[in-house]
Amino acid sequence: MIVLGIETSCDETGIALFDSERGLLSHALYSQVDLHADYGGVVPELASRDHIRKILPLIDEVLAEAGLDKSAIQSIAYTSGPGLVGALMVGAAVAQSLALVLGIPAIGVHHMEGHLLAPMLEASPPAFPFVALLVSGGHTQLVKVEGIGRYELLGESVDDAAGEAFDKAAKMLGLDYPGGPRIAKLAESGDVGRFHFPRPMTDRPGLDFSFSGLKTFTLNTTQKHLVEGVVDAQTKADIAAAFQAAVVDTLMIKCRRALRQTGMKRLVIAGGVSANSSLREALETMVAKENAEVFYARPEFCTDNGAMIAFAGCQRLMAGQQDDRSLKATPRWPLESLPAID
């Protein structure tokens, strides 16, 4: 089965072709980062308009790369939530219209299930069951995964997601959007021992997260070191290093706790923040001590992309699931509500 995957949940237009027998055939991604950088974050209306501008040319691009025409597409998977409703509607409208014209099935895919299954695209994918850390700009969750659609939420952020905290902390330091990669780069030249940031909710039982306090700590630390209204470059780097270390340690501690609590020996990390090299290093060190394994997608499939949607949709389509012709856009959609694949 050849599946066209369409991702338009936020500020990246991702298109891919996945073959259930041959694997990933082609993929393309257009990022709107430059468009939104001037505003310090994603502007929903602008995001929707840019998806409209890029989605059809990208579909043509992946078809050309795979040496196929539209008649070769046998089904379509598109992100139907969670996300920005306008952006989701663009992908849904194109997917359902094309499916109607071609007379093929279409299915709406849960964005976070796409992220969760993205490591399955690698040469050595994880086997079920495992614990998954889903960590992105909009979500920070620990999930027990017994199979596709068999998800148990173990813990989540009670306020900001980790990626959102990175973006907001970066703004306090005068860094451009998106904040995560900017802080990670700046932290490379920082002294991680100069400041000690708290590790929120690690001194109590449970697997929930909280990152709002780290934002406040970042703001207070920054303001204490203002000299004539600015912070010197080295102090900025030291704050970035301390902030990143606090987030990484918090995520690592909770992942270790989740592995011990479930008795599992496989950990999957997915989502945009999973591309952070410091986080990967910390988790690799932790799982080695726990006699466990860690799996993640290649960096290009950590951020939003069409390949993960095509793969996730393919699994459900092959199990006989498909949607009707209505446009399905669900801005809020609990992962654990998804049906299981037998």
Side-chain angles (χ1 to χ4, degrees):
M1 176 186 290
I2 296 178
V3 181
L4 174 69
I6 299 175
E7 157 61 23
T8 63
S9 66
C10 190
D11 61 340
E12 287 165 320
T13 312
I15 307 295
L17 284 170
F18 181 83
D19 188 328
S20 58
E21 296 183 357
R22 293 181 290 166
L24 186 63
L25 303 180
S26 60
H27 66 97
L29 182 72
Y30 173 75
S31 175
Q32 302 176 6
V33 165
D34 292 341
L35 174 66
H36 300 287
D38 290 341
Y39 303 94
V42 177
V43 180
E45 177 64 19
L46 295 180
S48 301
R49 290 179 180 273
D50 226 34
H51 286 309
I52 293 171
R53 185 174 69 89
K54 295 298 296 186
I55 192 168
L56 292 179
L58 284 176
I59 290 174
D60 291 338
E61 181 180 326
V62 298
L63 285 167
E65 183 183 340
L68 301 172
D69 58 32
K70 290 185 177 67
S71 63
I73 302 171
Q74 296 172 297
S75 54
I76 300 176
Y78 64 96
T79 302
S80 56
L84 303 175
V85 66
L88 294 169
M89 287 297 292
V90 173
V94 171
Q96 290 288 13
S97 298
L98 186 56
L100 179 62
V101 170
L102 296 176
I104 58 177
I107 189 168
V109 173
H110 193 291
H111 179 72
M112 296 311 294
E113 181 170 68
H115 276 305
L116 189 153
L117 298 178
M120 300 290 185
L121 291 163
E122 301 305 313
S124 299
F128 298 113
F130 54 78
V131 170
L133 171 66
L134 303 178
V135 57
S136 66
H139 298 81
T140 302
Q141 298 177 324
L142 277 166
V143 182
K144 180 180 178 182
V145 181
E146 299 282 358
I148 297 177
R150 295 185 173 88
Y151 308 132
E152 178 187 346
L153 182 63
L154 301 174
E156 62 184 340
S157 179
V158 298
D159 41 55
D160 292 347
E164 183 181 4
F166 265 107
D167 287 340
K168 291 180 178 178
K171 193 171 184 178
M172 295 172 195
L173 294 172
L175 304 177
D176 291 335
Y177 173 85
R182 311 287 186 187
I183 283 187
K185 180 65 176 177
L186 184 59
E188 293 176 2
S189 58
D191 177 4
V192 73
R194 180 178 173 187
F195 302 108
H196 181 74
F197 280 40
R199 276 57 173 165
M201 297 183 72
T202 58
D203 59 349
R204 66 186 75 174
L207 295 172
D208 286 335
F209 302 89
S210 172
F211 295 104
S212 63
L214 281 177
K215 292 188 310 177
T216 303
F217 200 92
T218 302
L219 178 61
N220 291 339
T221 304
T222 301
Q223 290 179 335
K224 286 179 183 177
H225 291 82
L226 290 173
V227 178
E228 296 182 354
V230 298
V231 179
D232 68 87
Q234 186 57 55
T235 298
K236 270 189 184 180
D238 296 344
I239 292 173
F243 173 84
Q244 177 175 257
V247 174
V248 167
D249 281 356
T250 299
L251 294 172
M252 182 273 294
I253 290 168
K254 295 288 185 171
C255 286
R256 181 176 59 203
R257 191 176 293 175
L259 288 174
R260 292 178 178 178
Q261 179 176 307
T262 60
M264 292 186 178
K265 293 298 182 179
R266 282 184 289 271
L267 173 68
V268 167
I269 58 169
V273 181
S274 69
N276 183 285
S277 59
S278 294
L279 176 61
R280 292 191 177 199
E281 290 171 8
L283 291 177
E284 286 172 356
T285 300
M286 181 272 290
V287 297
K289 293 179 180 178
E290 296 293 316
N291 193 29
E293 299 176 281
V294 63
F295 299 85
Y296 35 73
R298 70 197 79 165
E300 64 187 311
F301 293 156
C302 290
T303 56
D304 296 349
N305 63 88
M308 68 182 192
I309 301 305
F311 177 82
C314 183
Q315 310 313 304
R316 291 193 172 276
L317 287 159
M318 291 180 65
Q321 299 179 19
Q322 68 179 71
D323 293 340
D324 57 26
R325 294 301 184 196
S326 62
L327 300 186
K328 183 181 178 184
T330 311
R332 298 183 182 276
W333 189 5
L335 181 66
E336 58 270 29
S337 69
L338 295 177
I341 291 179
D342 296 326

